Amino acid sequence: MSWMASARHGVREAPAGLALVQELLNTRTTMHYGADLLLTADDAQLWLTEAIVTWSRVSGLPAPTLLISSSDLRSLRRLRTTFENVILAAGKEPQFDGALPPADVPVSLVPDADGWVRMVPTGRGTRWLASALWAEALLAQQAGLWPRLKLCHNGDCRAAFFDTSRNNSGVWHDVSTCGNTANLRAFRERKRLMGGSGGQSRPPVVGPPNYR
């Protein structure tokens, strides 16, 4: 059984190490995709172990063995909320209203055998995870990938997806579910305001998914 959070939503995985940030965001319970993976220490441990092993394979960097205790859960959930706010702020989302706190995490700059300087996460426990997440966010911004990591506009969903549309215009993690649900809700509201008469007789259907 896989404990990867993003797989539950059926979303396209963000490239390279940015997928680790997407994984953290998708641990939250949303709609019918499953429970919050940061609710208990056991679930958090299973998720984190698989997530950092995958990150290590993609990044080519070693990953420590992190053991999660019940006291770590609040730190993990707070870190998830922080990254949700960073994503919302980057997308100029109206849901975000406030200041972003400093990351306050260390990283090491290590030259490799070819002379390239690599940013290596440091710290212990959840501090290491925070270091890895902020490092990947910075690398994604430098590569121009950060604006494509988004939260679904469906307030009941908020799944994190990587937008691959040509003009970066995607707003739903899955148009066939969240897009059409929002479209039907808007149609019904317009019909209510019109007293149930006039206007469109049928709700419009959103086209094919724009996140692929």
Side-chain angles (χ1 to χ4, degrees):
M1 174 181 176
S2 173
W3 282 85
M4 297 299 282
S6 295
R8 302 186 302 170
H9 303 278
V11 294
R12 183 181 294 275
E13 187 178 279
L18 182 57
L20 183 62
V21 180
Q22 183 185 23
E23 269 293 303
L24 176 67
L25 295 169
N26 281 333
T27 56
R28 187 182 294 279
T29 182
T30 54
M31 295 172 63
H32 57 274
Y33 298 112
D36 191 326
L37 297 180
L38 301 184
L39 188 61
T40 69
D42 287 343
D43 284 352
Q45 184 67 67
L46 290 167
W47 164 76
L48 183 58
T49 298
E50 189 166 352
I52 63 175
V53 166
T54 301
W55 172 86
S56 178
R57 183 174 64 249
V58 170
S59 67
L61 295 172
T65 299
L66 301 186
L67 299 179
I68 298 299
S69 66
S70 297
S71 61
D72 292 321
L73 294 176
R74 180 176 297 179
S75 296
L76 288 173
R77 291 194 290 263
R78 185 165 55 244
L79 189 60
R80 178 177 63 189
T81 298
T82 296
F83 273 94
E84 287 173 343
N85 287 332
V86 173
I87 294 291
L88 292 174
K92 304 295 188 295
E93 297 283 351
Q95 294 93 333
F96 174 74
D97 181 19
L100 294 170
D104 190 28
V105 292
V107 294
S108 295
L109 301 178
V110 181
D112 62 20
D114 297 321
W116 290 92
V117 179
R118 306 198 67 180
M119 194 157 34
V120 180
T122 60
R124 307 181 73 174
T126 56
R127 291 281 290 171
W128 179 92
L129 179 61
S131 179
L133 290 163
W134 285 113
E136 292 299 348
L138 179 58
L139 291 172
Q141 290 182 356
Q142 292 173 334
L145 299 174
W146 186 252
R148 291 186 174 273
L149 183 60
K150 302 177 179 181
L151 298 178
C152 181
H153 272 212
N154 183 348
D156 295 328
C157 176
R158 308 307 279 168
F161 67 100
F162 188 75
D163 185 6
T164 58
S165 64
R166 180 172 299 180
N167 59 353
N168 195 26
S169 60
V171 295
W172 315 109
H173 95 282
D174 185 346
V175 174
S176 64
T177 55
C178 290
N180 280 334
T181 297
N183 194 57
L184 181 59
R185 186 182 300 120
F187 168 80
R188 286 173 174 167
E189 179 63 14
R190 288 195 303 269
K191 189 174 181 180
R192 183 187 68 81
L193 293 174
M194 296 172 63
S197 62
Q200 291 174 286
S201 59
R202 298 173 57 190
V205 177
V206 179
N210 57 8
Y211 63 89
R212 297 188 178 278

